[in-house]
Amino acid sequence: MGLCKCPKRKVTNLFCFEHRVNVCEHCLVANHAKCIVQSYLQWLQDSDYNPNCRLCNVPLATRETTRLVCYDLFHWACLNERAAQLPRNTAPAGYQCPSCSGPIFPPANLAGPVASALREKLATVNWARAGLGLPLIDEVVSPEPEPLNTSDFSDWSSFNADGTPEQEGSASTSAAPAFYSQVPRPPASPSRPEQHTVIHMGGPEPLTHGELGMVSARGG
Ligand SMILES: [Zn+2]
Ligand SMILES: [Zn+2]
Ligand SMILES: [Zn+2]
Ligand SMILES: [Zn+2]
């Protein structure tokens, strides 16, 4: 606990790891946007903190950042990219802080400069507008980013577990052998995408499913 330095002189337990001063949420948003800020207690335990973005491991100060209401800080681009990869039908609670699994969306009853700044930022992208219950906007579509191939996907992977693949019937069996056409195909259901993988081995064994006229070759 301590007093922050801004005119509000608030009693606060938040501490800027970078400048080593007490900060309230007002000074935090105004003057420490790219600083690691946690509780003073946290500072005592972890004074040799990591100043990098947890998502790309590049120093936070190099790019635009966003602070979640848990005070964890990320590059906006990194956070945005990750969240945008979640399935469209992900519930708002499914969007979680990659560090502590706290909510990305500020709780509705939470006021304060950090929550306000975050809401403002979230309102600029559609995945977040959907979660905030806002009407969607025309996003500036940037070129498709390369999918992240990092190994620390643990916090997010659970949300993808139930996702359904989006390609269905993409590999059509136009060149299927004739006997395939006699098999009635079940109608494609959207919930269970079919994956007809036709493997035509061309091995020495003749196909025995249809009358291929090969039996006559086996004269005694
Ligand atoms: Zn202050
Ligand atoms: Zn600072
Ligand atoms: Zn980053
Ligand atoms: Zn967090």
Side-chain angles (χ1 to χ4, degrees):
M1 280 293 186
L3 285 181
C4 76
K5 297 271 192 287
C6 83
K8 298 198 180 265
R9 303 294 284 173
K10 290 237 185 190
V11 177
T12 175
N13 67 350
L14 293 176
F15 190 76
C16 172
F17 285 26
E18 194 102 3
H19 299 105
R20 305 189 183 187
V21 290
N22 291 106
V23 294
C24 73
E25 282 211 352
H26 294 274
C27 8
L28 200 175
V29 168
N31 300 321
H32 303 267
K34 296 189 174 183
C35 302
I36 303 280
V37 172
Q38 287 293 333
S39 70
Y40 186 66
L41 198 65
Q42 198 69 38
W43 164 255
L44 295 178
Q45 292 165 354
D46 185 26
S47 58
D48 133 48
Y49 62 99
N50 178 359
N52 292 348
C53 169
R54 291 266 203 124
L55 300 177
C56 68
N57 215 29
V58 166
L60 284 160
T62 58
R63 298 172 80 179
E64 185 186 358
T65 55
T66 297
R67 194 181 303 278
L68 302 179
V69 293
C70 55
Y71 300 118
D72 284 322
L73 190 64
F74 304 94
H75 291 140
W76 169 239
C78 297
L79 189 73
N80 185 26
E81 190 177 301
R82 276 220 169 181
Q85 284 172 5
L86 293 180
R88 281 280 170 187
N89 57 0
T90 302
Y95 292 91
Q96 296 179 334
C97 170
S99 285
C100 72
S101 298
I104 285 183
F105 296 113
N109 59 357
L110 186 67
V114 170
S116 309
L118 177 57
R119 284 193 189 98
E120 236 169 76
K121 180 70 83 177
L122 291 173
T124 62
V125 288
N126 275 337
W127 65 263
R129 291 182 71 88
L132 292 168
L134 298 171
L136 301 189
I137 54 172
D138 285 334
E139 272 183 30
V140 182
V141 180
S142 53
E144 200 71 47
E146 285 289 311
L148 287 176
N149 202 15
T150 52
S151 54
D152 59 346
F153 254 76
S154 54
D155 290 332
W156 299 73
S157 57
S158 56
F159 307 116
N160 290 328
D162 210 16
T164 52
E166 288 190 2
Q167 334 111 314
E168 53 180 84
S170 57
S172 99
T173 56
S174 56
F179 63 82
Y180 262 58
S181 60
Q182 296 172 2
V183 182
R185 290 195 202 175
S189 69
S191 59
R192 282 212 328 233
E194 302 175 76
Q195 303 225 330
H196 282 294
T197 309
V198 180
I199 302 174
H200 204 47
M201 302 285 285
E205 281 290 316
L207 295 169
T208 55
H209 284 272
E211 282 87 24
L212 297 178
M214 307 196 72
V215 195
S216 59
R218 282 176 167 251

